Structures are given as C-alpha cells and as structure tokens.
Amino acid sequence: MKNDILTNQERITTTFDRENIDIKRFAKQQMEFYRDVKQHIYNLKIDIAEIGADIEDILYRIESESYKTMDSCRVFKELKLLRNMKRSKERELECCIQMTRKIDCDRLAKILENSYSKVFVNSVTELKKAVDVA
C-alpha cells in the first residue's frame, strides 16, 4: 500500500535535493532572519550612509588635490567598488523593506522559534535522556 502511494507520485527536483543541507542550521537561520530583519534594515541604512560618506570624501579629495595617472586609476577603482557596494546594499534594503511590508516578520519569527524549540531542542533533550538511560 505504501509503495503504491510512492509509485503514483512524480519526482520533482527541489533546491534541497541538489545538496546536503543541515536542516537544523537552515531552520535556525530562517528563524534568526525573521527575528532580526528589522534591525538588518536599520543596519543596511547605516551602511549605505557610510558608503555615501566615503564616496563624498573621495570626491572632495579629487576636487581639492591634483592626481597623477596612477592615483587617478586607483581612485576610480575605489569609487567604482564603493558605488557597486552601495547599489548592492540598496537592492538588499529594498527587498527587505518590501518583504516586511507583506509579511508579519515578528509573528513569523515567534512561530519559527516555537517550532524550532519543539522540533530540535525537545528532540535533542529527549535523545540525551534516552542515551543517559541506556
């Protein structure tokens, strides 16, 4: 009977099938992400402001000093790197903001914390008790 159920289902490959995943670690990361996403948004805003300030400092130096060709190339690469970092942080910030508008992250974090403690913490505790008894 059990084999009939399995043979009638089509195998659909998921992301999880391609690699060994530490499910406990993955679940903990999910729980921590939803718990900390609001602080992460705040931190991203700080990072973006700091990168913007670094860019402004470099531009100020360029305006106030004369650069040789080698220095100009180095400064250009530094500006390009900072600009790319800032864009990356801005994209991440936008994704996090959009997500928090659509998902009650605090509630989801509590649900995940509760589930995590029931599934992993309790099962580990029970496993330790069983080993101690044996």
Side-chain angles (χ1 to χ4, degrees):
M1 182 92 175
K2 197 173 189 181
N3 289 337
D4 291 339
I5 294 170
L6 291 176
T7 56
N8 292 334
Q9 293 181 345
E10 179 183 345
R11 180 176 183 87
I12 299 172
T13 304
T14 68
T15 306
F16 303 107
D17 296 331
R18 294 189 194 115
E19 57 188 74
N20 285 334
I21 294 180
D22 181 349
I23 296 296
K24 184 177 179 181
R25 189 170 139 248
F26 179 74
K28 188 174 181 183
Q29 284 176 326
Q30 291 290 307
M31 174 187 69
E32 290 171 343
F33 174 79
Y34 288 107
R35 183 189 63 210
D36 298 337
V37 70
K38 288 181 182 176
Q39 182 62 48
H40 184 59
I41 288 171
Y42 183 74
N43 294 347
L44 284 170
K45 289 178 181 179
I46 292 171
D47 290 345
I48 292 167
E50 288 174 349
I51 293 169
D54 291 344
I55 291 171
E56 288 301 316
D57 288 346
I58 291 170
L59 292 173
Y60 178 76
R61 282 188 309 187
I62 290 171
E63 291 173 352
S64 63
E65 299 174 13
S66 61
Y67 283 94
K68 297 177 184 169
T69 306
M70 290 295 286
D71 290 336
S72 297
C73 186
R74 182 185 50 79
V75 170
F76 174 76
K77 286 181 180 180
E78 189 177 350
L79 273 172
K80 187 175 178 182
L81 175 70
L82 288 170
R83 186 179 66 183
N84 289 338
M85 285 174 44
K86 185 176 179 190
R87 283 183 184 160
S88 175
K89 298 264 184 195
E90 287 170 339
R91 282 192 298 269
E92 184 178 351
L93 174 63
E94 186 58 32
C95 287
C96 288
I97 288 171
Q98 289 300 322
M99 186 186 66
T100 57
R101 286 184 181 152
K102 310 251 187 236
I103 298 171
D104 184 349
C105 293
D106 293 332
R107 184 169 175 229
L108 185 53
K110 287 177 183 167
I111 291 168
L112 291 171
E113 286 173 8
N114 188 29
S115 297
Y116 183 85
S117 66
K118 284 181 180 176
V119 172
F120 295 110
V121 176
N122 290 346
S123 62
V124 169
T125 305
E126 290 170 14
L127 184 64
K128 284 182 182 177
K129 286 179 184 176
V131 169
D132 289 342
V133 171

